[in-house]
Amino acid sequence: MTEAERIESACADAWPALTEKPLGAWRLRAADGFTGRANSALAVGDPGTTPATALRQVCDFAHAHGIPPMVQVIQDGPIERQLAGLGWRSCDEYPAGNEVAVLEGPLMAGAEPGRTRVLAEPTPGWWELTVDRREPADAERAVLTGGEVVGYGVAELDGLTAGAVRGAVADGYLLVARLAVRPEHRRRGLATELMTAIGGWGTRHGATRCVLQVSVGNTGALALYDQLGFREHHRYRYWVPCEDRPL
């Protein structure tokens, strides 16, 4: 297993789908359409069969769960180099941006700043910042509360949840996701404080490195993480069949 494959496997453990089925080293995943990562097959490693057969099983699984077939692959990796010849194409229309940078960096371990804390359970304010509602849908709850070791960082100002972040530890990595700060509270250092709080939490739960997944089009987030010492390790993309039968 390459280091990029190990990171992607750890991230999949930290961001579990509502339904998951192994296909050799691949993972077939579905979560009622909530996020690409939870509704695509993670195609890394050996699927235990030919790529063409594995991709047919990806399609069958997706159809059975009412989602479009899609695979998540390491950019320029051995699987991606075969996909075009097997009738698949890069999903360039993916709404959140199809090219994702996987950043690796230090844990910003330290004492939790006074206005931030990491909780064992998400609060209504955390949900509101994370999914735009104080009560999540079933798939949102399953994905965002799934994983063996998960923490929910909040920043609170004047009794309001002004910022939120999710952290999950798997295979020694802390996967940080869903970092958000309310527009009226930005540029006050809350994002850095949340990263420090979740980094300290991750250290206490056995993490030694931190990983983030950011669309290459999200220049603001990339600039923030660059300042915090994160560097690109690899990228991944989503691919879909050029032709597919209706669901």
Side-chain angles (χ1 to χ4, degrees):
M1 179 180 290
T2 68
E3 186 64 18
E5 291 172 341
R6 179 189 169 194
I7 291 173
E8 290 302 331
S9 180
C11 288
D13 288 337
W15 191 268
L18 181 62
T19 302
E20 187 169 310
K21 178 182 177 181
L23 177 59
W26 291 21
R27 303 186 189 203
L28 310 181
R29 303 175 294 187
D32 292 342
F34 176 62
T35 78
R37 281 179 287 172
N39 289 274
S40 60
L42 178 61
V44 298
D46 183 2
T49 185
T50 66
T53 298
L55 291 170
R56 285 196 294 271
Q57 293 189 44
V58 168
C59 292
D60 290 343
F61 178 87
H63 294 142
H65 290 85
I67 58 173
M70 186 163 66
V71 293
Q72 177 192 346
V73 295
I74 295 170
Q75 187 171 345
D76 298 323
I79 301 299
E80 186 176 63
R81 289 194 288 268
Q82 300 179 63
L83 287 174
L86 294 169
W88 289 59
R89 64 175 179 82
S90 176
C91 187
D92 296 329
E93 70 275 18
Y94 185 70
N98 192 37
E99 196 165 328
V100 178
V102 180
L103 311 179
E104 187 179 13
L107 288 161
M108 298 180 61
E112 291 183 17
R115 53 187 179 179
T116 64
R117 54 199 177 115
V118 179
L119 308 173
E121 299 288 340
T123 63
W126 188 92
W127 283 118
E128 186 174 22
L129 265 177
T130 304
V131 298
D132 296 324
R133 293 182 307 282
R134 295 176 71 83
E135 183 64 30
D138 290 345
E140 293 168 338
R141 184 181 296 279
V143 172
L144 294 175
T145 63
E148 292 188 6
V149 184
V150 185
Y152 309 89
V154 294
E156 297 171 329
L157 293 176
D158 302 322
L160 175 74
T161 301
V165 69
R166 179 187 187 270
V169 176
D171 194 21
Y173 286 97
L174 169 67
L175 173 65
V176 174
R178 296 282 162 162
L179 177 64
V181 176
R182 291 184 184 275
E184 64 270 26
H185 295 295
R186 291 173 184 167
R187 302 187 184 280
R188 299 187 187 183
L190 287 181
T192 300
E193 291 183 20
L194 284 164
M195 287 293 293
T196 300
I198 204 69
W201 173 89
T203 298
R204 294 191 296 275
H205 286 84
T208 58
R209 297 291 290 175
C210 188
V211 174
L212 297 153
Q213 298 170 316
V214 184
S215 168
V216 297
N218 191 345
T219 55
L222 290 172
L224 168 66
Y225 296 131
D226 182 72
Q227 293 174 2
L228 297 179
F230 285 82
R231 299 295 179 263
E232 182 176 311
H233 186 276
H234 64 276
R235 295 184 180 187
Y236 70 75
R237 291 194 291 190
Y238 296 113
W239 282 64
V240 295
C242 292
E243 296 182 5
D244 187 45
R245 63 180 173 81
L247 298 176

